Amino acid sequence: MSGFFNSSIGRKYAMAFSAFFLIIFLVIHLAVNITSVFSEDVFNDLSHFMGTNPLIQFGLQPILIFGVVFHFVMGFVLEAKNKSARNIKYARNNGAANSTWMSRNMIYSGLVILAFIVLHFIDFWIPELNTKYVQGDMSGLLADGEGFRYFEELQHKFVNPLRVGAYVIAFILLALHLLHGFTSAFQSVGATMGRQKAMKNIGKAYSILIPLGFIVVALFHHFNH
Amino acid sequence: MNLTLKIWRQKGPQDKGKMVDYKVSDISEHMSFLEMMDVLNEQLVNSGEEPVAFDHDCREGICGMCSLHINGEAHGPDRGITTCQLHMRMFKDGDTITIEPWRAKAFPVIKDLVVDRSAFERIQQAGGYISVNTSGNTQDANSIPISKHAADEAMDAAACIGCGACVASCKNSSAMLFVGAKVSQFALLPQGQVEATDRVKNMVAQMDLEGFGNCTNTGACEVECPKGITLENIARMNRELFKASLIKF
């Protein structure tokens, strides 16, 4: 199979498999985040479970990091190869006549998402690693010991309107990325169901609702902190 | 109608090339695009200039020879046609029309608007055939039962004329619609099963070797294809390669 994954089509499969994994991950991430809008306690309990469960922390988290890094690195590698396949550009090219803006600009929406992930890691992931694995505090409790810290940290992050603005922009770009990527992933693995109307509609619904959910969470906590 | 043409001129493969402006007048809207090019070339010959080199053969939309990237689209603004079938009624008096060769590293320019599409030939030679004994005892194809649906789909795939519009339209210069069609026309039929594993592996390997880009499913190829080859053929090729890789590492 090594020959398969070295071929152009094998790389399409690899991109699609990592995309499917990330599509499922986004659903789980939003399912946890959205609870913060309805219940502080449920959000705290879920966050503590996700942040301390060994299977999630040492089993799923490394796979997730690999999936994210792989999707980005492979995306850049393929983009570079694709760019080099046309050494002289057209003087006039009417891309809008035969394809969507989203499909032609996956690299740019991807770059914005990458910038967002860097910001997100600085905001949440690195402080979490610091608290849990550098300072050794696995309790998940506030400094005064009065309840879990997760909800308070979440609200605190969304005070700054610039950060909220950056999150909203990034999620709009994520929606655009998904509007092509969702059905494209099915096509890449040879599943023509991605071309059928029902699956196209599911893709559209997913691509709009998931980023919208994240935007709602960010805006809710900005206006309700 | 009177038109301004911006045409890519390149003396040979090593020449840098450039866009050159030409004026043509009294063009009939009933002319095909290639007839308009003939008028221009007659004008150039009469004035002692080098005519514009462009590919053409049957002028009936069958052979796949005519190419041309016209106003930013392969075979121009119309759908389901080759350049020889494009009529000047698609343009207006006073228009400026940009005419360029197919742009892809795997399709190097030979001269002006003529590109070398032999990369497609090499992909075909890598597996786009079935081995049949033709020494006089060939089996009648009709003696092999084939479902109507499979026969129709295979015929649709076989409609590919190898013009290269898919490569020219794709932002990645990918040849996957062409290769997908050529793999599909055999993959759908019992006669193609015997060599199916090697066929798809060898054709994809040759496609990659030629320097075509990777498909990112933009669908531009499908829209611009003069023969209506669909993306389902790329999906089928992807499945065929996956299956072949499981059978033969």
Side-chain angles (χ1 to χ4, degrees):
Chain A
M1 288 297 282
S2 64
F4 174 72
F5 285 109
N6 281 329
S7 74
S8 53
I9 292 172
R11 292 192 190 112
K12 273 166 69 97
Y13 268 83
M15 275 300 272
F17 284 141
S18 59
F20 286 136
F21 178 73
L22 295 174
I23 282 169
I24 294 165
F25 162 72
L26 284 176
V27 174
I28 297 166
H29 197 327
L30 179 62
V32 173
N33 284 20
I34 205 80
T35 61
S36 69
V37 172
F38 306 108
S39 167
E40 181 177 339
D41 289 341
V42 172
F43 177 74
N44 272 330
D45 288 343
L46 281 173
S47 299
H48 189 65
F49 172 76
M50 299 296 269
T52 53
N53 184 285
L55 183 68
I56 291 167
Q57 284 294 296
F58 305 111
L60 291 179
Q61 192 165 257
I63 297 172
L64 171 65
I65 294 166
F66 174 78
V68 170
V69 171
F70 178 86
H71 197 73
F72 276 109
V73 170
M74 189 57 103
F76 292 131
V77 168
L78 291 175
E79 178 69 14
K81 194 170 157 47
N82 291 343
K83 279 260 184 293
S84 73
R86 177 161 292 146
N87 44 358
I88 301 173
K89 284 185 177 177
Y90 288 111
R92 184 172 174 185
N93 191 32
N94 188 7
N98 50 39
S99 54
T100 62
W101 184 92
M102 288 79 82
S103 71
R104 297 194 306 278
N105 292 284
M106 292 295 274
I107 189 70
Y108 300 112
S109 52
L111 277 169
V112 173
I113 296 163
L114 177 61
F116 164 76
I117 287 175
V118 171
L119 173 68
H120 195 55
F121 272 28
I122 293 168
D123 276 353
F124 289 98
W125 200 62
I126 294 172
E128 269 299 299
L129 290 184
N130 180 43
T131 305
K132 288 188 295 195
Y133 303 115
V134 178
Q135 295 175 20
D137 178 9
M138 299 293 284
S139 70
L141 297 171
L142 290 161
D144 58 10
E146 296 288 320
F148 283 129
R149 58 184 166 81
Y150 307 105
F151 186 82
E152 196 164 294
E153 285 175 358
L154 178 78
Q155 282 204 318
H156 176 70
K157 289 294 177 193
F158 291 123
V159 171
N160 187 342
L162 289 176
R163 181 184 279 112
V164 175
Y167 271 56
V168 169
I169 291 168
F171 284 121
I172 290 170
L173 268 295
L174 175 66
L176 295 173
H177 198 78
L178 287 166
L179 277 168
H180 174 67
F182 189 95
T183 46
S184 176
F186 284 94
Q187 168 75 10
S188 287
V189 297
T192 46
M193 62 198 275
R195 302 255 297 154
Q196 287 162 9
K197 201 177 174 191
M199 188 52 81
K200 278 184 178 175
N201 287 337
I202 291 170
K204 272 183 197 158
Y206 176 94
S207 308
I208 293 165
L209 292 177
I210 297 289
L212 189 64
F214 284 110
I215 290 172
V216 165
V217 171
L219 292 177
F220 179 83
H221 292 295
H222 177 67
F223 292 112
N224 292 285
H225 63 268
Chain B
M1 60 180 91
N2 299 324
L3 302 163
T4 302
L5 307 175
K6 288 181 177 294
I7 300 179
W8 180 260
R9 300 302 310 259
Q10 185 174 335
K11 285 176 184 156
Q14 307 307 323
D15 184 33
K16 214 174 154 201
K18 61 179 179 183
M19 298 298 289
V20 178
D21 288 5
Y22 297 98
K23 299 268 187 201
V24 284
S25 47
D26 299 327
I27 297 296
S28 162
E29 62 175 13
H30 304 300
M31 280 182 183
S32 80
F33 199 86
L34 295 187
E35 284 166 345
M36 183 278 293
M37 293 294 289
D38 291 337
V39 170
L40 169 70
N41 274 348
E42 199 174 348
Q43 189 177 301
L44 290 174
V45 169
N46 286 342
S47 62
E49 290 180 65
E50 180 88 6
V52 179
F54 62 92
D55 266 327
H56 59 103
D57 193 359
C58 75
R59 296 203 179 200
E60 291 179 322
I62 298 166
C63 73
M65 271 310 284
C66 58
S67 51
L68 305 187
H69 206 253
I70 302 160
N71 279 352
E73 285 187 77
H75 297 302
D78 211 350
R79 292 283 171 263
I81 54 146
T82 53
T83 301
C84 60
Q85 297 169 298
L86 176 67
H87 282 88
M88 294 313 294
R89 67 180 76 99
M90 294 297 293
F91 303 92
K92 293 193 304 286
D93 182 40
D95 273 0
T96 298
I97 306 174
T98 307
I99 309 164
E100 297 172 82
W102 288 169
R103 292 291 189 202
K105 197 169 73 181
F107 285 168
V109 172
I110 296 169
K111 188 179 180 183
D112 295 336
L113 302 169
V114 179
V115 297
D116 180 0
R117 285 173 277 186
S118 56
F120 272 11
E121 298 300 323
R122 290 187 289 274
I123 293 170
Q124 279 287 69
Q125 286 158 13
Y129 52 82
I130 54 167
S131 302
V132 178
N133 186 341
T134 55
S135 59
N137 53 357
T138 313
Q139 188 182 1
D140 188 325
N142 288 320
S143 65
I144 303 167
I146 299 167
S147 78
K148 175 80 169 71
H149 182 67
D152 285 350
E153 277 198 300
M155 190 60 222
D156 288 345
C160 170
I161 51 176
C163 64
C166 46
V167 175
S169 307
C170 176
K171 77 178 189 68
N172 311 316
S173 301
S174 170
M176 287 199 189
L177 194 70
F178 166 76
V179 184
K182 297 302 172 192
V183 166
S184 287
Q185 73 181 64
F186 297 116
L188 286 158
L189 300 175
Q191 294 95 326
Q193 301 311 309
V194 182
E195 293 154 309
T197 304
D198 286 338
R199 174 181 304 113
V200 67
K201 289 184 87 162
N202 293 340
M203 289 181 82
V204 170
Q206 188 64 37
M207 172 181 77
D208 291 346
L209 198 66
E210 297 290 349
F212 293 106
N214 300 276
C215 170
T216 52
N217 307 320
T218 67
C221 53
E222 181 184 57
V223 173
E224 300 291 352
C225 174
K227 296 296 162 188
I229 306 295
T230 63
L231 291 185
E232 270 79 4
N233 292 289
I234 299 182
R236 187 177 296 106
M237 172 178 64
N238 295 353
R239 292 196 301 273
E240 285 288 310
L241 186 72
F242 186 72
K243 198 168 69 181
S245 302
L246 290 174
I247 295 166
K248 200 171 176 182
F249 289 175

